[in-house]
Structures are given as C-alpha cells and as structure tokens.
Amino acid sequence: MAELAVDIALTVNGEPVAERVDARKTLVDFLREDLGLTGSHVGCEHGVCGACTVRVDGAIVRGCLMLAAQCDGAQVETIEGLSDAGEIADLQAAFAQRNALQCGYCTPGMLVAAQDLLLHAKNSGGVPSREQIREHLSGNYCRCTGYHAIVDAVEAVARARAGEKK
Ligand code: FES
Ligand code: FES
C-alpha cells in the first residue's frame, strides 16, 4: 500500500520544525525517529503505560496515541525541553535523592506527568495530597520502584515549591 505523507510545521521544545511525515506515524515515533528526541519512551504503544508522555499545547498527552500529523501548528514539549529549560530540575533532583527511579524507563513520562500535576496544584494554590499524586500518576506505570519513592519525591517538591519545609 502506498504511503501517504503529509507536511507538518510545529514547534518542538521552542524550535520550529517542518517535516514530511507518514500520515500514520505517531507523535512519539516522530520525536524519536525523525528528531532524535529519544527521551520519550515507547512501552505499551496503546495508551496504557505513560512512558511516552509529552506536552502538546500545554496539556500532557500520550505520544503513542497521537499522530504526528495531528500536531501541525502545535507546540510540543518533551522531557528534553523541560530538562534543558531547568523547569523540572527540582523534580529530577528529588527523584535522584529519593531513589524514585531504578531502570529509568518510566522516568521521563513520570516527570512530565508530575510536573503537570505540580503546575495545576500551584495554580489552585495548594499542595496535592499523596492520594492526589497517586491518582495523577496512575496512568504512568513503573515496574521497578513500587511507587512510594516517586510519591515521596513529588510530595517533597510540591511542599518545597509551596515554600514549606521538607
Ligand atoms: S507507550 Fe504510550 S502509553 Fe505506553
Ligand atoms: S524505574 Fe523502572 S519502570 Fe520505573
């Protein structure tokens, strides 16, 4: 079957990108294969594990459930962009300090999802409860840590950002 290609123009981590892509190519495959942004991982490929989580126009999405062609005109941000901008430096440090990662496969998606929660919590003026942290990260699977250390790390950063002592 002939491949249907489409031209897309978008912004990725603040840089303009214009590419011709297979109309069936997912966003995460586009980021990894065409742009070399391999921080977003591919696990289940059907929207369950959260390893592919990225931000599109400010909202977190599953990169395996969105087509690259759907991102024409969008602002896409990946773990590389958030990391390079220093936006999640405190989260990354807390994950390292509290052993919230082992193999690291889930970590990029987990960090993007955690940052989303913390941004929303900040806007609503509060520190999320451990239950709220667990709920928000429930779509991000980790096969190594048992989740406690991840919740500890996110809670510590939430408190620190709110000006509370750890
Ligand atoms: S690879 Fe996208 S949710 Fe698992
Ligand atoms: S650290 Fe291995 S899957 Fe989470």
Side-chain angles (χ1 to χ4, degrees), residues 58-102:
I60 54 171
V61 303
R62 307 289 208 206
C64 69
L65 290 186
M66 193 159 189
L67 296 172
Q70 291 176 285
C71 295
D72 187 33
Q75 308 253 6
V76 175
E77 294 165 286
T78 70
I79 186 67
E80 290 90 346
L82 271 58
S83 181
D84 289 351
E87 181 182 331
I88 55 169
D90 51 358
L91 269 174
Q92 290 169 305
F95 269 55
Q97 280 162 9
R98 291 168 184 270
N99 295 320
L101 66 152
Q102 290 176 29

